[in-house]
Amino acid sequence: MQELHLLWWAVLLGLAQACPEPCDCGEKYGFQIADCAYRDLEAVPPGFPANVTTLSLSANRLPGLPEGAFREVPLLQSLWLAHNEIRTVAAGALASLSHLKSLDLSHNLISDFAWSDLHNLSALQLLKMDSNELTFIPRDAFRSLRALRSLQLNHNRLHTLAEGTFAPLTALSHLQINDNPFDCTCGIVWLKTWALATAVSIPEQDNIACTSPHVLKGTPLSRLPPLPCSAPSVQLSYQPSQDGAELRPGFVLALHCDVDGQPAPQLHWHIQIPSGIVEITSPNVGTDGRALPSTPAASSQPRFQAFANGSLLIPDFGKLEEGTYSCLATNELGSAESSVDVALATPGEGGEDTLGRRFHGKAVEGKGCYTVDNEVQPSGPEDNVVIIYLSRAGNPEAAVAEGVPGQLPPGLFLLGQSLLLHLFLTSF
């Protein structure tokens, strides 16, 4: 009821307002129309009646749409902005137009668009964004447009589209995406499959073609040959030493992230330590352990050394390097992640700290695993976190673990002064 009152006030206020001087305002076929096309305008003029339902600003010289550009016309149902010089549509420029059914932004220079504004336009039925400079569309750009019937994205600079981009468009009947420079790699294969199966009308399919790679240039997407594609998989592996050597100064902790996928995934390390979070895009060092020229580093040998083969080395591992180490692999088809928690403790001195105490109760219950000569022996089916308590004079102490029996899954390590963990798991 309150919304209805606001609309009535908008109508009454609109009747009392004059039309902007460059424009013509009036009623036609029951619609309140403001015609500002072909006026050589460089900005949206103020002073529109609030009851305007159709606004044409086509064929002007508008360079952009600022926040709140159409706040004066909350009842707008049709907005025509084609053939301007619009490069940027700012956040909030369109968000207030919840009644909008038709939006034409075609034949502009738009490269920067506030896609989140579309989330408020749930009544939209026609969206024309063809003949612009768009290079990217977020996966959730159209999530609220369940009433959309026609979408035109042709003649842009789109290289790919995220899988599921069109899934929310349950009323869609017409889609134009031709004449975009698509990269025909694994990330676009879903679009071929979807286009061949959908009931949506997609004209000019021979012009929905590959621009790269070179061997596929000009190939229509509908005739794209099968590509060897697979989503990433990762396995973060490690190997406790079994030689009982003492921990010495200069100890190096090594983890290895075994990555698979096609195309080859990009590997990223996320490290959470007491001093904060460290993000590393692998590799940041060469095979000699020295920082790559393109990698900013405080010294020639970074504190965390990520190699191209998936190994991560931490020279002089100590309390400052305790924490959670995660490797993340990403390619066009998705991502995969694996983590391990690492802590340093001195047996019998309360050195296990928070990481150890979290699981200490299970040792009392007889669950987990125990150590003999530094070999971890799982004793229960719930082993996915490994805590190693160190032996003194050959006497095993209780240890706690959760995960899969018979193997060492990613988990928690307590590295003590009588145990050396060798985690060099791959050769360079």
Side-chain angles (χ1 to χ4, degrees):
M1 183 63 69
Q2 184 179 4
E3 183 180 1
L4 183 60
H5 287 162
L6 291 174
L7 293 179
W8 274 109
W9 275 110
V11 171
L12 293 174
L13 181 62
L15 294 175
Q17 287 182 324
C19 187
E21 183 177 348
C23 309
D24 295 322
C25 299
E27 182 179 347
K28 188 174 183 180
Y29 306 120
F31 295 97
Q32 299 295 325
I33 299 175
D35 184 5
C36 306
Y38 297 94
R39 301 299 203 277
D40 205 30
L41 299 174
E42 295 184 5
V44 178
F48 288 106
N51 63 340
V52 169
T53 56
T54 299
L55 173 57
S56 176
L57 286 160
S58 298
N60 282 291
R61 297 171 57 194
L62 304 179
L65 299 177
E67 179 186 2
F70 305 103
R71 191 173 289 125
E72 292 183 339
V73 284
L75 303 181
L76 209 59
Q77 296 183 28
S78 297
L79 179 57
W80 310 103
L81 291 157
H83 295 281
N84 275 278
E85 299 172 6
I86 300 171
R87 297 178 181 272
T88 300
V89 178
L94 303 169
S96 62
L97 303 178
S98 59
H99 299 278
L100 198 64
K101 295 182 179 179
S102 300
L103 175 59
D104 185 358
L105 287 162
S106 63
H107 297 277
N108 278 285
L109 301 168
I110 300 172
S111 59
D112 184 7
F113 183 78
W115 294 101
S116 59
D117 274 21
L118 295 182
H119 299 166
N120 293 340
L121 309 187
S122 58
L124 202 62
Q125 298 179 11
L126 169 67
L127 178 57
K128 298 180 66 175
M129 301 189 72
D130 55 285
S131 303
N132 276 287
E133 302 290 325
L134 298 173
T135 60
F136 172 73
I137 298 177
R139 183 193 303 268
D140 67 344
F142 309 127
R143 71 182 189 192
S144 301
L145 306 186
R146 292 179 177 84
L148 195 69
R149 298 178 183 177
S150 180
L151 175 61
Q152 299 181 22
L153 296 167
N154 49 296
H155 293 91
N156 274 284
R157 297 184 180 276
L158 300 173
H159 291 278
T160 191
L161 289 167
E163 184 171 0
T165 297
F166 304 124
L169 305 178
T170 53
L172 192 67
S173 60
H174 178 81
L175 173 66
Q176 287 188 239
I177 53 173
N178 52 282
D179 294 282
N180 278 288
F182 286 121
D183 295 329
C184 289
T185 57
C186 293
I188 206 72
V189 171
W190 78 270
L191 184 58
K192 171 192 173 182
T193 304
W194 179 84
L196 292 175
T198 186
V200 176
S201 172
I202 306 177
E204 300 190 52
Q205 293 207 21
D206 282 349
N207 291 327
I208 306 173
C210 307
T211 298
S212 64
H214 182 74
V215 293
L216 295 174
K217 186 174 182 178
T219 303
L221 189 63
S222 59
R223 296 198 287 274
L224 185 67
L227 300 177
C229 303
S230 61
S233 63
V234 298
Q235 182 177 4
L236 185 57
S237 51
Y238 45 81
Q239 180 182 345
S241 169
Q242 299 180 11
D243 59 9
E246 292 185 1
L247 185 63
R248 300 181 183 280
F251 171 73
V252 178
L253 174 65
L255 303 174
H256 182 70
C257 191
D258 188 19
V259 178
D260 193 16
Q262 183 65 34
Q266 173 65 58
L267 181 60
H268 184 88
W269 289 93
H270 176 91
I271 305 170
Q272 188 168 359
I273 54 178
S275 60
I277 295 176
V278 180
E279 304 283 356
I280 302 173
T281 298
S282 183
N284 68 348
V285 295
T287 56
D288 58 357
R290 295 187 176 274
L292 296 175
S294 60
T295 303
S299 66
S300 60
Q301 290 187 319
R303 180 183 182 188
F304 302 97
Q305 301 176 7
F307 291 82
N309 67 348
S311 290
L312 178 73
L313 304 187
I314 304 96
D316 299 315
F317 182 85
K319 297 291 288 185
L320 295 178
E321 287 73 42
E322 288 184 330
T324 302
Y325 290 73
S326 303
C327 66
L328 174 67
T330 305
N331 70 7
E332 299 172 25
L333 301 181
S335 61
E337 183 176 2
S338 185
S339 300
V340 61
D341 291 320
V342 184
L344 184 66
T346 302
E349 298 179 3
E352 57 185 284
D353 297 326
T354 303
L355 288 174
R357 290 195 298 271
R358 287 170 55 191
F359 307 100
H360 184 74
K362 291 191 177 180
V364 178
E365 301 173 9
K367 296 181 179 179
C369 67
Y370 57 91
T371 60
V372 176
D373 296 331
N374 295 330
E375 296 185 28
V376 178
Q377 308 291 331
S379 64
E382 56 280 306
D383 299 328
N384 62 16
V385 174
V386 177
I387 298 179
I388 301 176
Y389 293 84
L390 306 175
S391 300
R392 285 189 173 184
N395 296 322
E397 298 184 10
V400 182
E402 297 182 2
V404 180
Q407 67 182 44
L408 293 177
L412 176 66
F413 286 98
L414 297 179
L415 310 182
Q417 294 181 353
S418 63
L419 175 65
L420 175 63
L421 296 185
H422 289 293
L423 299 175
F424 294 96
L425 303 171
T426 186
S427 59
F428 296 99

